[in-house]
Amino acid sequence: MQTTLSAEYQNTPDGLAAEAIVRKCVHCGFCTATCPTYQLLGDELDGPRGRIYLIKQVLEGRTPTRSTQLHLDRCLTCRNCESTCPSGVDYGHLLDIGRKLVDAKVPRPLPEKALRWALKEGLPSPLFGPAMTLGQLVRPLLPAVLKVKVPPRQDAGQWPTRRHARQVLMLAGCAQPSMGPNINSATARVLDAAGIQAVVAPKAGCCGAVKFHLNDHEGGQAEMRANIDAWWPFIAPASGKGVEAILMNASGCGVTVKDYGHILRDDPVYATKAARVSALTRDLSEWLPELVAALRGKVETGGQPALVFHPPCTLQHGQKLRGGVEKHLAELGFRVRLASQESHLCCGSAGTYSVLNPTLSYQLRDRKLENLQAQAAEVIISANIGCITHLQSGTTVAVKHWVEVLDAALAKSPAQA
């Protein structure tokens, strides 16, 4: 797609990067067939091709409007379009640039601005945990609109105490420790059973995705640099610590940390370090082949419930990791299926999307649950805390992280007694 940058964006990093991405688009429209918002709304401007046109117009000097902003806001950033695009258009990075340029020119209404500020400052805050604990204590009294955002209090179980020569770093995350604490401890227990020690750097915090995707790029990058500083003593080439990887058990965090090298590529102090962090980062499912080899014979899968797997967009589209979870869990004896229809579509969680665009978000959730529950599963499994919480808000079927199911099967095995 040909574009001519306006003088405002010529020779700027954002302008040049966006121009290169736009030029890859051949206007084929394959992306609209797999775009969740286009499927719901049927509006060209609520599909990737239309949003690319809107960003192209801004780059060429047209003044964006509130309507431009709303169409970009309605994108889930699921990146399904990237999986479908035959031309390799880097839509996710283009959208980050486009939203940044539009927000710089289009003021938001005060209530909307306040809500976005509360989300980007509140979710990564140390106060989020105590606030969630309070919400869980009064959960029965909460109105339905808030109750679905507050999962019941969960027992995290014991963190393993054995030390192993093999070590990996693990990011605790900002929301997961209070919303689904068993996910982190289950990950540590599964790794422990395989002879691997999970290490959490105490000063590592939010991955930076919340602020970055709410157009606070500086705030998000500050959190990324803080994580790099926290991890660097463990992964510096001369550290001698021997940490093998940075394992992510939340695919939303994983796709962001894998992108540190790109986001901080122009930072004179952090570019090299960020590239090393991204190179070392792996989704937990990428280690499943090794875990399967180590855990075979230690897992009791008899009587395990039927599982249906919802692969998060950040896993299957953002990280391009498909098929691994269901394949390798099946090798351990689990019964795992995908939804028979639309397993590629977003569940509507998408970070803060369910708060900012609740109508579309819940339509996508209910559509996803209909397809998942058609498999007559006893447990729905996923790989991201946002998807898990969002799906659980619409069903009585248990929704868990796949590592929790694996951990429970290990605990039942006589070999682990």
Side-chain angles (χ1 to χ4, degrees):
M1 192 182 291
Q2 179 124 12
T3 185
T4 303
L5 293 178
S6 68
E8 182 179 3
Y9 300 120
Q10 286 177 4
N11 300 317
T12 65
D14 283 340
L16 294 173
E19 181 186 34
I21 298 170
V22 169
R23 285 180 177 273
K24 278 192 170 185
C25 178
V26 296
H27 197 238
C28 67
F30 284 5
C31 55
T32 59
T34 55
C35 173
T37 49
Y38 182 81
Q39 296 297 309
L40 290 180
L41 301 171
D43 186 333
E44 173 76 8
L45 296 180
D46 284 311
R49 182 171 60 180
R51 293 183 180 113
I52 290 173
Y53 265 119
L54 292 174
I55 295 169
K56 177 179 180 289
Q57 289 173 343
V58 174
L59 293 168
E60 292 177 340
R62 181 173 295 187
T63 302
T65 64
R66 176 68 174 152
S67 176
T68 310
Q69 190 176 58
L70 289 172
H71 286 300
L72 298 187
D73 282 350
R74 281 202 284 259
C75 177
L76 292 135
T77 324
C78 70
R79 296 169 66 176
N80 203 331
C81 54
E82 291 184 13
S83 294
T84 320
C85 179
S87 303
V89 174
D90 190 359
Y91 175 81
H93 288 145
L94 178 64
L95 185 70
D96 287 336
I97 296 169
R99 284 172 165 167
K100 177 183 174 183
L101 300 183
V102 170
D103 271 22
K105 292 179 177 289
V106 180
R108 292 183 179 275
L110 187 57
E112 188 176 302
K113 187 183 294 186
L115 177 58
R116 294 168 74 89
W117 180 89
L119 288 169
K120 76 182 183 69
E121 298 299 330
L123 285 172
S125 168
L127 298 177
F128 179 77
M132 180 58 62
T133 300
L134 178 61
Q136 289 168 333
L137 288 173
V138 299
R139 188 173 185 271
L141 305 177
L142 294 176
V145 68
L146 291 178
K147 193 173 184 178
V148 296
K149 300 295 183 187
V150 180
R153 192 170 179 83
Q154 184 186 69
D155 180 11
Q158 293 296 313
W159 191 277
T161 56
R162 292 190 299 179
R163 300 183 65 83
H164 299 284
R166 299 187 63 190
Q167 296 185 341
V168 295
L169 279 167
M170 190 174 79
L171 179 65
C174 51
Q176 189 161 280
S178 54
M179 298 183 76
N182 189 52
I183 297 173
N184 285 341
S185 55
T187 301
R189 289 190 294 267
V190 167
L191 291 169
D192 177 65
I196 302 165
Q197 184 177 351
V199 178
V200 177
K203 292 186 179 180
C206 180
C207 68
V210 174
K211 288 184 178 181
F212 195 85
H213 291 305
L214 286 172
N215 296 320
D216 182 1
H217 286 199
E218 289 185 5
Q221 289 171 2
E223 291 174 336
M224 295 172 192
R225 294 186 188 101
N227 285 340
I228 293 171
D229 288 341
W231 290 329
W232 197 247
F234 298 90
I235 64 171
S239 69
K241 292 289 182 72
V243 172
E244 297 179 39
I246 305 171
L247 286 192
M248 296 286 158
N249 58 14
S251 59
C253 298
V255 74
T256 299
V257 179
K258 285 184 176 183
D259 211 27
Y260 279 16
H262 173 82
I263 294 170
L264 297 173
R265 65 194 182 281
D266 296 323
D267 188 310
V269 176
Y270 283 87
T272 301
K273 292 181 177 181
R276 178 162 174 77
V277 164
S278 292
L280 283 172
T281 299
R282 297 288 184 274
D283 184 79
L284 182 61
S285 66
E286 293 181 84
W287 270 45
L288 258 177
E290 182 170 349
L291 295 177
V292 167
L295 299 179
R296 192 173 276 115
K298 299 181 180 180
V299 179
E300 177 55 64
T301 56
Q304 287 291 324
L307 307 171
V308 60
F309 178 51
H310 163 59
C313 297
T314 44
L315 187 71
Q316 62 173 325
H317 304 306
Q319 299 186 59
K320 303 294 187 287
L321 297 174
R322 302 182 189 90
V325 172
E326 54 270 40
K327 173 187 174 183
H328 298 302
L329 287 183
E331 289 174 357
L332 286 172
F334 293 95
R335 294 173 293 152
V336 190
R337 296 180 181 179
L338 288 176
S340 58
Q341 297 183 61
E342 299 185 343
S343 64
H344 62 288
L345 281 188
C346 183
C347 71
S349 173
T352 58
Y353 193 91
S354 64
V355 178
L356 297 172
N357 295 278
T359 300
L360 293 175
S361 175
Y362 290 127
Q363 286 176 349
L364 288 169
R365 181 200 67 182
D366 294 344
R367 181 169 173 164
K368 174 64 67 176
L369 284 170
E370 183 178 347
N371 287 316
L372 290 170
Q373 293 175 161
Q375 298 302 298
E378 298 170 53
V379 175
I380 297 169
I381 56 173
S382 192
N384 190 58
I385 183 63
C387 301
I388 292 166
T389 305
H390 187 57
L391 291 171
Q392 191 66 82
S393 71
T395 181
T396 56
V397 176
V399 186
K400 300 181 178 182
H401 195 292
W402 63 261
V403 79
E404 294 181 278
V405 175
L406 178 52
D407 173 55
L410 277 168
K412 291 179 180 178
S413 171
Q416 290 295 104

